[in-house]
């Protein structure tokens, strides 16, 4: 018996699986693969957060069922974060909820608000759950550009004019994964005005709010007057505090959307382990110098990678935020597409990256490079890539990398 399950049939093959299988096979053969593929922070969680986890875990009462929508102290800590970071006042009772990471929150919200055939506008390329959360829920996705600007706004207009039924929601993700694009408040204001007029929900993924490298921190769409009438925003502690495996995130904003997510989650889970929530509260309320250190670490890694790749003849835009570089495939290899190029890079340079097609067909001319190895390993990756490109006749410079880049 080989059943064809309806929701599974709507999902494409997981393209990352091919690269992961190749990586596992190479490592099993004893090869040293430098893994810049998955956005998985490699540094430890700050000590004061772990200490609070251990302290809370020592309390026997903390091992009982928790609260699906999050313990009150953590929801208050999220509201306090929004107040000091964005000058946005939230009601912890009705406008905040704790999720098992932003990914789970987005997927469950999609289940809560999507009717069969509903149309959602989602960027392409984009983090897969932005589109597939709604496809799994029975909706349809219309793609819009990933870059903020006039083309994005024009695509919103076309989406309203040419979609039947009219779109019920639009996904925003700035700073974005995988492209590292950032948006400003003027852009958010235009999107909010458009969506309020057309009665379209805004679902914002702000997971990389604190991983930025310029002087201006990324804004929240909730800073726009009237945004809370139509908007919910997801954040996460995964990247900000090196807590990816802890699976703790949040949603904030429109109370109707928060209520819908709260209700569906009440059927699905009992919330994160209470000591994790207590430690997350300590993360948000405690000293933030660790966040500055994490941001500096990624900035330094970014600079080593971008400068080194330029020396190797591969011009990659320097990302202004996130822990990723969105790298156009070098011209001599453009015809391969991102999956074949990723495999070639692993086979010849021993460097693993994520094929851009895994984030949507409009990403197939790029690969995503994650800053998840230390600078020494990144320099090694750059040396390997330079040697590979030179041997393939693709290098545009014969100069040796400077000591700061290789």
């Amino acid at each position: 018996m080989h059943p064809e399950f309806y929701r599974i049939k709507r999902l494409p093959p997981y393209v990352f699986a091919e690269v992961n299988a190749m990586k596992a096979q190479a490592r099993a053969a004893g090869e040293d693969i430098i893994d810049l593929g998955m956005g998985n922070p490699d540094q430890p969680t700050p000590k004061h957060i772990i200490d609070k986890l251990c302290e809370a875990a020592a309390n026997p009462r903390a091992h009982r069922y928790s609260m699906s929508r999050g313990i009150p102290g953590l929801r208050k800590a999220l509201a306090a974060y929004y107040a000091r970071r964005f000058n946005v006042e939230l009601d912890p009772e009705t406008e905040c909820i704790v999720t098992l990471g932003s990914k789970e929150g987005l997927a469950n919200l999609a289940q809560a608000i999507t009717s069969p055939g509903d149309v959602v506008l989602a960027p392409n390329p984009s983090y897969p759950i932005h589109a597939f959360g709604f496809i799994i829920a029975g909706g349809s996705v219309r793609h819009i550009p990933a870059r903020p600007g006039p083309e994005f706004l024009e695509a919103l207009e076309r989406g309203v004019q040419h979609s039947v039924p009219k779109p019920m929601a639009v996904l925003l993700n700035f700073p974005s994964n995988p492209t590292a694009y950032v948006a400003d408040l003027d852009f958010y204001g235009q999107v909010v005005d458009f969506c309020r007029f057309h009665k379209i929900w805004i679902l914002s993924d702000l997971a990389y709010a604190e991983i930025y490298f310029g002087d201006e921190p990324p804004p929240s769409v909730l800073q726009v007057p009237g945004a809370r009438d139509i908007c919910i925003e997801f954040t996460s502690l995964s990247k900000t505090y090196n807590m990816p495996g802890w699976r703790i995130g949040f949603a904030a904003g429109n109370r109707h959307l928060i209520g819908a997510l709260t209700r569906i989650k009440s059927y699905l889970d009992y919330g994160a382990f209470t000591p994790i929530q207590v430690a997350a509260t300590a993360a948000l309320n405690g000293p933030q110098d660790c966040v500055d250190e994490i941001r500096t670490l990624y900035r330094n890694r970014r600079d080593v990678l971008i400068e080194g790749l330029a020396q190797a003849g591969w011009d990659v835009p320097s990302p202004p935020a996130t822990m990723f570089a969105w790298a156009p495939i070098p011209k001599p290899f453009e015809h391969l597409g991102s999956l074949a190029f990723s495999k070639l890079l692993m086979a010849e340079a021993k460097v693993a990256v994520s094929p851009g097609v895994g984030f949507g067909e409009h990403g197939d001319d790029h690969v995503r490079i994650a800053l998840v190895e230390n600078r020494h390993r990144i320099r090694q990756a750059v040396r390997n890539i330079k040697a590979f490109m030179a041997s393939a006749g693709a290098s545009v410079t014969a100069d040796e990398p400077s000591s700061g880049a290789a």
Side-chain angles (χ1 to χ4, degrees), residues 10 110 114 117-124 126-144 159 163 167-171 361:
R10 300 195 74 198
T114 307
D118 275 349
V119 175
V120 174
L121 304 176
N124 186 341
S126 185
Y127 189 56
I129 198 64
H130 295 157
F132 290 109
F134 288 90
I135 290 174
I136 292 169
S140 299
V141 172
R142 182 184 178 101
H143 294 303
I144 55 178
S163 297
M168 53 86 69
V170 60
L171 271 293
E361 63 271 26

Side-chain angles (χ1 to χ4, degrees), residues 11 13 69 71 87 100 110 115 121 141 145 159 161 188 217 282 284 286-287 292 339 398:
L11 299 177
R69 66 190 184 114
I71 61 175
N87 197 29
L100 307 179
S115 300
L121 304 176
V141 172
Q161 292 177 355
Y188 278 147
L284 288 174
D292 295 332
L339 181 57

Side-chain angles (χ1 to χ4, degrees), residues 3 22 71 73 79 82 85 88 110 127 136 139 145 165 178 180 213 239 274 285 291 310 349 388:
M22 186 176 175
I71 61 175
Y82 263 86
R85 173 68 164 79
V88 170
Y127 189 56
I136 292 169
F213 310 125
K239 309 308 191 293
T274 296
N285 290 341
V291 180
F388 154 65

Side-chain angles (χ1 to χ4, degrees), residues 353-399:
V353 299
S354 292
V357 71
F359 304 97
E361 63 271 26
H362 295 303
D364 199 25
D365 54 355
H366 285 68
V367 294
R368 192 192 71 177
I369 306 175
L371 305 172
V372 292
E373 289 275 10
N374 62 44
R375 284 179 290 175
H376 171 74
R377 292 283 282 172
I378 291 175
R379 291 187 183 104
Q380 181 62 55
V382 168
R383 283 194 292 269
N384 293 0
I385 290 170
K386 181 174 183 179
F388 154 65
M389 293 182 66
S391 67
S395 180
V396 297
T397 176
D399 297 335

